[in-house]
Amino acid sequence: MSAPRTPESLGLSRADLPNSYIGRSVPRPTARKLVEGRATYTDDVSLPRMLHAVFVRSPHAHARIASIDVARAAAAPGVVRVFTGADLAKVCDPWVATLAHLKGMKSAPQYALPLERATWQGEAVVAIVADTVAHGEDAAALVEIDWAPLPALADIETALSPETPVLHAELGDNLVFTRTADTGGVDEAFANAAHVVEATFVSGRHTGVTLEPRSILADFNRAEGMLTVWHSTQAPHMMQGVFAKQLRLPESDVRVITRDVGGSFGVKVHVYPDEMAVAAMARVLGRPVKFVADRFESFVSDIHARDHRIKGRIAVDADGRILGFDIDDLTGIGPYSVYPRTSAIEGNQVVNLCGGPYDFKHYRCTTTVVLQNKTPTCQYRAVGHPIATAVTEGLVDLAAERLGLDPIELRRRNLIRDDAYPFTSPPGMRFEGLSHHAALDKLVAMVEPEKLRAEQAALRARGVYRGLGFASFIELTNPSPFMYGIGGARISAQDGCTVRMDPDGSVVAMSGVTEQGQGTEAILAQIVAHGVGVPVERVKIVTGDTRVTPYGGGTWACRGAGIGGEAALQSAVALREQLISVAAAILQAAPETLDVAMGEIVDRASGSSRMPLAELGRLVYFRGDTLPKDAPREFVQTRHFITKDYPFAFTNGVQASWLEVDVETGLVRLLKHWVVEDCGRIVNPKLVDEQVRGGVVQGIGGALYEQCVYDAEGQLRTTTMADYLVPLAADMPDIAVGHVETPTRESLLGAKGAGEAGTAGAPAAVMNAINDALRPFGAKLFAQPFTPERILTALGRVAPR
């Protein structure tokens, strides 16, 4: 046996190998073990124990870090090392989240841990790496930070005022991005309109509240120079590129593994500083480091969204034709734009989507995106859609009321005709084919408004106030590089799938899209089974591993079926053709006379079995010597798919809400909700229906319950599930779902997306229903969430704050 070696002789510093090094027993020959500070070898030892990251977070919305003393924390039991921003800046480069096609956009560099200032309450400032979470939390309490509080920028209305301090001096002001879409002639159209109505809408800032918090485990293998990250993310390949770039590694030396993710809703498709810190610390230490956010950390560090104030006007003629919209959107995004998708996309989507379902000529919409000392905001389920839909549909209902028209009738007069496609909207969105009128007709048949109106009138006479609200919407799905790629972001709009048949006739499909509970793997299995010709139970799906799956964008913007599913179908069809080609050579038959059905090579005309796929696999994999010389000797196909003809595959739909408002307490009771949506070809009806229902519930959450409440100093007041309300099953109404199918012609599958349709329209439908219920009192609400206090204030029964 060789002489014992010291840690230094193995290329390790003693700081990397504390007394807590010995972990759970994992037998391995010639593994290293510490004995009295020296490294020896043994046949049954403990491997390096997984470490845990705990973060010290800022208690201030804005403060300068005068000094940090970590001496006591570093000496605490179980602590391996304490990292500050200066420590991590040596190994992790900062990032700036802008997109080139968003002209004039700017943001400041963001580090894994800040160097000089904390810019929102909850920003991670110091990281403790310890053998247990408990030890890390104990040590975190020993970190001494000398804070110098600074004025907090909490009000978006004053962010651009000359008196307001500039958050990042190098940017010159607090403006991140502004864009105006203007068709021209807007002022003239409004001046000559028979009616102009206007309102100011507020969308309450809220967050995703995923069942599974953000989590990451990073491990750097020094021998191989390989960083492996187990990550709860929606986009493994995107994160592979981010980790490589920021940690100065070749992309091929980074592997990201994403298993089943417990809900994302867009929350887990972004780069978080604390997660980058975990990867950086794992690289420094050469040991696995794990971080799982607790619920408090989630509230202050998960991205927020929908912090908007929108002033809107609509002009109509005497016959109820919409002449134009004039919209001004102001939104706050926190102290940084979030990398790499940026925080300007939500405001940009408001510009793209307002007025979307309607045929009108004149349009002007401006979004102004400003900085704040609050948790950063970014893309969250149905990015911009609920805001644009609430503004549009709220104004349409106001116009109907002014004209004395039924809201359904006003929509019929103005929705884009179902035979008008292709159609380009005033802000420049191109629609391949939508079905607004067919969807509205189907919804009306489901709702039976005449019966509800009669019931409404009878109940009002008894002092019970019910309301019926409608909302038409469009939904952006299957995004092309027009979304991010043209702006320079390494976010893939294409996706790939590899399908192979193994010797036993079973099929394995490896896809770049990921599973977050929405059923992606189930529909991929269906598509592959159909494309190849095997029972669905003979298909295994592999997702979420950058080492083995084809490169792809992951799952976001409802692209799983439309992009990932199309790649899977093309690969499966190609494999089917390959199987038939080889079988034809073996059976000495013409390929066009054969087919694959239920795991058998069959005669196309009669359906009779000619050969099981397992037998075909046996011959190709084990008896290749018996095959004709020109016959293929592998059963694997890979295809990639990207949309080309249209920047997005738009879907559409319409929703209705029937509810009751208690005018004494301000409480809203949801009675029934209806949705008709058109997501193209439906692959799995049950999954689509439940995606729509889940989206509706999330939209209702924003409309009635959810809000991240801050005080004037930028302190978040809703940091627990007791303060931040989410929809409960007992509060939700029955949700009836109907469909119209208009397949996209850009793909063989014809599928679009469905995951955000419910969220897009639900808040507007609820808002219009509440205002319909309160119509006898002349009260109206346009600020979400529609809380009892706000309802009673609108009724004049509570003084406004």
Side-chain angles (χ1 to χ4, degrees), residues 296-379:
F296 170 79
E297 289 178 301
S298 295
F299 277 119
V300 297
S301 64
D302 288 4
I303 61 103
H304 293 178
R306 314 216 212 288
D307 193 354
H308 290 250
R309 186 277 295 142
I310 312 101
K311 296 179 180 178
R313 300 192 298 157
I314 185 173
V316 296
D317 67 16
D319 295 324
R321 295 290 304 178
I322 296 175
L323 302 176
F325 287 91
D326 188 10
I327 311 293
D328 179 69
D329 171 47
L330 175 64
T331 179
I333 64 162
Y336 299 96
S337 173
V338 176
Y339 191 71
R341 295 167 189 267
T342 83
S343 302
I345 291 295
E346 187 173 76
N348 197 55
Q349 291 286 72
V350 171
V351 176
N352 289 337
L353 298 173
C354 277
Y358 299 103
D359 186 357
F360 61 96
K361 184 177 181 181
H362 302 288
Y363 185 69
R364 181 170 58 209
C365 184
T366 296
T367 187
T368 303
V369 182
V370 299
L371 296 171
Q372 326 161 272
N373 289 119
K374 296 181 180 180
T375 300
T377 73
C378 206
Q379 285 84 318

Side-chain angles (χ1 to χ4, degrees), residues 244-440:
K245 179 181 178 181
Q246 305 311 132
L247 298 177
R248 308 164 201 163
L249 292 167
E251 199 161 319
S252 58
D253 286 348
V254 177
R255 180 184 184 186
V256 177
I257 300 171
T258 299
R259 301 307 184 198
D260 290 345
V261 174
S264 296
F265 316 126
V267 169
K268 298 174 184 175
V269 77
H270 310 293
V271 171
Y272 287 90
D274 49 17
E275 294 177 357
M276 293 302 299
V278 169
M281 294 185 295
R283 189 183 181 196
V284 170
L285 297 175
R287 295 174 60 183
V289 179
K290 178 181 179 180
F291 168 66
V292 178
D294 63 29
R295 190 58 70 184
F296 170 79
E297 289 178 301
S298 295
F299 277 119
V300 297
S301 64
D302 288 4
I303 61 103
H304 293 178
R306 314 216 212 288
D307 193 354
H308 290 250
R309 186 277 295 142
I310 312 101
K311 296 179 180 178
R313 300 192 298 157
I314 185 173
V316 296
D317 67 16
D319 295 324
R321 295 290 304 178
I322 296 175
L323 302 176
F325 287 91
D326 188 10
I327 311 293
D328 179 69
D329 171 47
L330 175 64
T331 179
I333 64 162
Y336 299 96
S337 173
V338 176
Y339 191 71
R341 295 167 189 267
T342 83
S343 302
I345 291 295
E346 187 173 76
N348 197 55
Q349 291 286 72
V350 171
V351 176
N352 289 337
L353 298 173
C354 277
Y358 299 103
D359 186 357
F360 61 96
K361 184 177 181 181
H362 302 288
Y363 185 69
R364 181 170 58 209
C365 184
T366 296
T367 187
T368 303
V369 182
V370 299
L371 296 171
Q372 326 161 272
N373 289 119
K374 296 181 180 180
T375 300
T377 73
C378 206
Q379 285 84 318
Y380 168 59
R381 191 175 191 174
V383 186
H385 292 68
I387 302 159
T389 303
V391 172
T392 301
E393 296 304 290
L395 291 174
V396 167
D397 262 29
L398 286 175
E401 183 180 38
R402 176 70 61 87
L403 288 159
L405 285 175
D406 184 277
I408 297 174
E409 176 58 28
L410 187 63
R411 287 172 172 81
R412 289 195 196 280
R413 295 183 187 185
N414 290 281
L415 289 168
I416 302 168
R417 301 190 325 273
D418 290 355
D419 61 356
Y421 301 95
F423 185 94
T424 301
S425 70
M429 296 296 98
R430 295 170 54 215
F431 305 144
E432 178 194 9
L434 302 176
S435 57
H436 288 296
H437 288 272
L440 183 58

Side-chain angles (χ1 to χ4, degrees), residues 677-753:
E677 62 83 52
D678 183 347
C679 64
R681 179 161 289 118
I682 297 174
V683 177
N684 186 312
K686 183 176 287 292
L687 284 176
V688 170
D689 284 358
E690 297 315 311
Q691 276 286 291
V692 170
R693 288 190 176 99
V696 167
V697 170
Q698 209 151 5
I700 289 173
L704 295 180
Y705 308 111
E706 300 183 53
Q707 186 175 18
C708 298
V709 178
Y710 283 85
D711 65 17
E713 285 71 47
Q715 291 289 314
L716 183 63
R717 296 305 191 189
T718 47
T719 57
T720 73
M721 297 300 291
D723 309 307
Y724 185 95
L725 303 184
V726 295
L728 302 177
D731 299 326
M732 292 301 101
D734 179 43
I735 302 170
V737 181
H739 301 281
V740 176
E741 290 190 60
T742 307
T744 175
R745 292 183 292 275
E746 279 215 72
S747 66
L748 179 64
L749 185 61
K752 304 176 188 178

Side-chain angles (χ1 to χ4, degrees), residues 386 389-391 393-394 469-472 703 759-769 784 786:
T389 303
V391 172
E393 296 304 290
F470 297 90
S472 294
T759 310
V766 169
M767 175 184 70
N768 286 341
Q784 299 178 46
F786 306 113

